[in-house]
Amino acid sequence: MATQSLLWNSVKKFLACGLIGLTISDRYASIVPVRGASMSPTFNPQARNFTDDYVLVEKFCLKKYEFSHGDVVVFCSPSNHKEKHIKRIIALPGDWIGTSHNSHDDVLKVPKGHCWVEGDNSASSMDSRSFGPIPLGLVKGRVTHVVWPPQRIGLVERVFPQERVSSFK
Amino acid sequence: MIPTFNLTGDMFLAERLSIKFGKVGPGDIVLLRSPESPRKVMVKRLLGLESHSVTYVVDPMNSDRCDTIVVPKGHVWVEGDNIYNSRDSRQFGPVPYSLLEGRVFCKIWPPKEFGSLMKSGMKDPDL
């Protein structure tokens, strides 16, 4: 029947689009919502907003795993593999980072293959200050742009507290 | 990973679904991204999941000293089958579960060693 072949054509197109979309989202770039206020004011600057920010995450950085100080990245949580977090890379392998542990100041060397991540809103952010440096293999993408809400569409800048990090390269 | 795998030339099949659904357990051979070098993928044997207590020989070339560790939440303990020459959790500690990439289930080359891999070399995890 004509309607059956029309239905089948639609299903085929839908599946093809789905596969292409999944491949692009897996390998190249995807758009994800940001939940929580740990990256205020970069994302979700007002907690009272009902809609989350949406950001563009690119996966090309995963070919070489080369990141810069100040990159905002998406990574799998080291304590729960089903959760993903978005934080900023403050220190790269081999850097010395100043932390404040148990109210006394401490200096830590970031081990080989790891990085130190922190949220922009240090008052309410679960990051490397609680779970330590994370292996770079946990990073699943880099956030490049904010795409929603429209009034805040733009590039995500690379900023980081340079006074707390020393790299001897 | 001697003697399970030869130094070079072995080929095996690995699947990714077990990792996604959390169906790996101690004794499985897994592919994981190296925590020291994110561009490298390693093949090791999974010996302990989170909250398992793992006993391992710290430095088998020089002494028989054993140590016991409880694997933290969200992490796994991996060791090579050839503990005399393997860089694994005994050196870099338990690794986060998300670093696992696949599970090896069948060796396909060389042909005389074809077949599914035995769960040998497994130590009893104390739950």
Side-chain angles (χ1 to χ4, degrees), chain A residues 64-65 76 78 81 113-114 138, chain B residues 33 35-36 39 74-75 97-98:
Chain A
K64 297 226 175 120
Y65 282 96
C76 287
H81 67 103
H114 288 60
L138 288 181
Chain B
R33 212 157 265 285
E36 299 174 315
R39 293 174 70 180
H75 288 65
Y97 185 96
S98 312

Side-chain angles (χ1 to χ4, degrees), chain B residues 6-11 109-110:
Chain B
N6 299 314
L7 277 176
T8 58
D10 278 9
M11 303 225 290
W109 194 268

Side-chain angles (χ1 to χ4, degrees), chain B residues 26-110:
Chain B
D28 284 335
I29 302 181
V30 291
L31 297 171
L32 66 142
R33 212 157 265 285
S34 165
E36 299 174 315
S37 184
R39 293 174 70 180
K40 284 208 207 137
V41 177
M42 311 167 33
V43 181
K44 298 287 172 207
R45 197 175 288 271
L46 187 75
L47 289 186
L49 295 171
E50 64 184 13
S51 78
H52 286 190
S53 174
V54 175
T55 306
Y56 61 97
V57 183
V58 178
D59 190 9
M61 291 284 259
N62 297 327
S63 80
D64 275 336
R65 187 168 75 89
C66 285
D67 232 350
T68 307
I69 185 173
V70 175
V71 182
K73 182 166 177 316
H75 288 65
V76 296
W77 186 270
V78 294
E79 278 185 34
D81 283 348
N82 182 14
I83 54 174
Y84 296 94
N85 189 8
S86 165
R87 196 153 173 86
D88 48 40
S89 286
R90 293 169 301 144
Q91 280 85 32
F92 48 66
V95 299
Y97 185 96
S98 312
L99 285 182
L100 297 180
E101 301 248 315
R103 185 182 72 96
V104 171
F105 63 94
C106 182
K107 191 193 257 207
I108 57 174
W109 194 268

